[in-house]
Amino acid sequence: MKKITKIRIITYIVLGVFIAALLIGLGVKSNLSTNEARYWKGTQNVVCANVSRIEREDAPLGVAVKYDLDLHSMNTDTNLIFNSSHSFVEVYVEDELVYSLKNSDEIKTVETPGGNWNIVPLYREDSQKNCTVVLMPVYESFLEQTLDFKTGSVHAVFVSLLMENLPEIFVTALVMFIGLAFLCFGLYFAIKTKKMIKLLPLGAFAISVSLWRFCDFTFTTLISGEKSIFIYYVSLTMLMITMIPLLETVKQSFSERIAKAFDALALIIGVAGIAQLILQVFNVSDLRQMLSLTHLTIIASLVLIFVAL
């Protein structure tokens, strides 16, 4: 076995171990959000009376966005429902903190709670009280995010999101099924006949792309509940490694000389992935902050494929 091949295999194994360890660690822990949801028939939009920025020493950026809500149209016990991205959240009724979303103290390796559906029980008597939502983004780019506040049924929100994303969900599920089929048949033929090995990286590429897209749907975080941080990092890691199996698939159509360029770039992506995961595990830099490096590897892969063609 050539030296470059051994190094590439070792790199991929180490990358896989790091990814598995990170995701397992995040999977067994969760965000802190303990409110129970109620089931109601529908949803109703909530009017935001005022939006302002306030200084908060405990906020990651030292600043928070305050939303004053008008609940006068609420005439029954219900839920306040809204989606937030990469932000800590607090909800106050009058001056009483009734809901809080932040990273669990058990998770020491992440800075962001990812994307979350915040579900806050409200009561009929709260309609005559002041309701305030305080949003504390982890990244500056999310200070301007738009929140859509609703009251009502979690079930209704889920059905609405499901129907809205159904065509994309169907295509994503189909790609994942094809990827699993390629992976299974590729393994079978590789063991039995030593042929059709090219199906293995093609199947891995299809699975990684479909996992990334599925985890990126907003309705997925509604399903995952307190495990949304796990969904978020699955999405990022799939995006980070997806070019490796694509390069392994495409290189089989070219000469050995050109294939070496694909091997070299795949190796670079693997090493870059290991470096990003190490920085994440030791809380030096979050994967979200290193997303530009992931985008750069994707662009480099597409340029190499184009040049080779």
Side-chain angles (χ1 to χ4, degrees):
M1 186 181 292
K2 296 181 180 180
K3 185 177 181 180
I4 185 68
T5 303
K6 290 181 179 179
I7 295 174
R8 190 172 77 249
I9 292 174
I10 292 172
T11 302
Y12 296 161
I13 291 174
V14 174
L15 178 61
V17 170
F18 265 96
I19 290 173
L22 176 63
L23 296 181
I24 290 172
L26 292 172
V28 298
K29 303 180 188 301
S30 63
N31 294 335
L32 181 61
S33 179
T34 58
N35 300 97
E36 295 182 0
R38 292 188 180 81
Y39 180 94
W40 297 96
K41 292 182 179 179
T43 60
Q44 183 177 0
N45 290 326
V46 177
V47 176
C48 184
N50 183 51
V51 182
S52 59
R53 290 192 183 185
I54 58 175
E55 293 184 358
R56 284 282 299 257
E57 292 184 0
D58 58 337
L61 301 176
V63 63
V65 183
K66 178 183 174 185
Y67 299 83
D68 297 315
L69 305 184
D70 183 359
L71 301 178
H72 285 87
S73 61
M74 189 178 73
N75 56 13
T76 184
D77 294 349
T78 185
N79 300 295
L80 175 65
I81 305 169
F82 61 97
N83 183 258
S84 60
S85 297
H86 303 292
S87 302
F88 302 143
V89 179
E90 292 178 350
V91 179
Y92 295 85
V93 174
E94 292 297 345
D95 294 326
E96 180 185 357
L97 179 65
V98 297
Y99 174 87
S100 175
L101 173 72
K102 60 182 180 180
N103 284 345
S104 171
D105 293 334
E106 295 178 331
I107 305 178
K108 305 296 185 182
T109 60
V110 300
E111 296 182 3
T112 170
N116 288 274
W117 281 95
N118 302 277
I119 304 166
V120 188
L122 294 176
Y123 303 93
R124 184 179 304 179
E125 56 269 24
D126 294 334
S127 63
Q128 305 303 317
K129 300 176 182 178
N130 296 322
C131 181
T132 303
V133 175
V134 178
L135 195 74
M136 293 174 280
V138 176
Y139 306 117
E140 191 170 350
S141 59
F142 288 91
L143 278 170
E144 303 295 337
Q145 64 181 290
T146 302
L147 300 186
D148 182 20
F149 297 101
K150 296 180 182 296
T151 56
S153 166
V154 179
H155 176 264
V157 173
F158 172 80
V159 171
S160 175
L161 289 171
L162 181 63
M163 297 307 296
E164 180 182 337
N165 295 293
L166 195 58
E168 289 184 78
I169 294 171
F170 176 77
V171 173
T172 303
L174 183 61
V175 172
M176 183 175 291
F177 175 78
I178 292 172
L180 288 170
F182 280 2
L183 209 58
C184 292
F185 283 111
L187 283 171
Y188 173 79
F189 287 121
I191 294 172
K192 291 292 184 179
T193 65
K194 309 298 182 183
K195 296 179 180 179
M196 298 181 72
I197 297 178
K198 64 175 64 177
L199 288 179
L200 290 173
L202 186 58
F205 173 69
I207 291 172
S208 62
V209 168
S210 58
L211 269 177
W212 162 72
R213 189 67 194 99
F214 184 77
C215 293
D216 209 40
F217 291 126
T218 53
F219 95 94
T220 306
T221 55
L222 187 59
I223 299 172
S224 63
E226 295 181 358
K227 299 296 182 181
S228 59
I229 191 68
F230 173 73
I231 298 296
Y232 169 65
Y233 280 99
V234 168
S235 174
L236 282 183
T237 51
M238 291 302 103
L239 188 63
M240 184 175 67
I241 66 172
T242 190
M243 287 294 106
I244 294 177
L246 178 62
L247 291 172
E248 290 289 337
T249 300
V250 175
K251 78 171 187 180
Q252 299 175 59
S253 300
F254 295 97
S255 65
E256 184 177 350
R257 181 174 62 87
I258 297 178
K260 288 181 180 179
F262 284 86
D263 285 339
L265 182 55
L267 183 61
I268 291 172
I269 294 174
V271 172
I274 292 172
Q276 290 180 77
L277 290 170
I278 290 174
L279 293 174
Q280 172 73 67
V281 168
F282 289 98
N283 204 21
V284 176
S285 184
D286 196 78
L287 290 182
R288 178 66 176 72
Q289 295 171 295
M290 297 179 283
L291 195 57
S292 56
L293 177 59
T294 300
H295 291 159
L296 183 61
T297 59
I298 292 173
I299 293 171
S301 300
L302 296 177
V303 169
L304 178 60
I305 292 171
F306 177 79
V307 171
L309 288 172

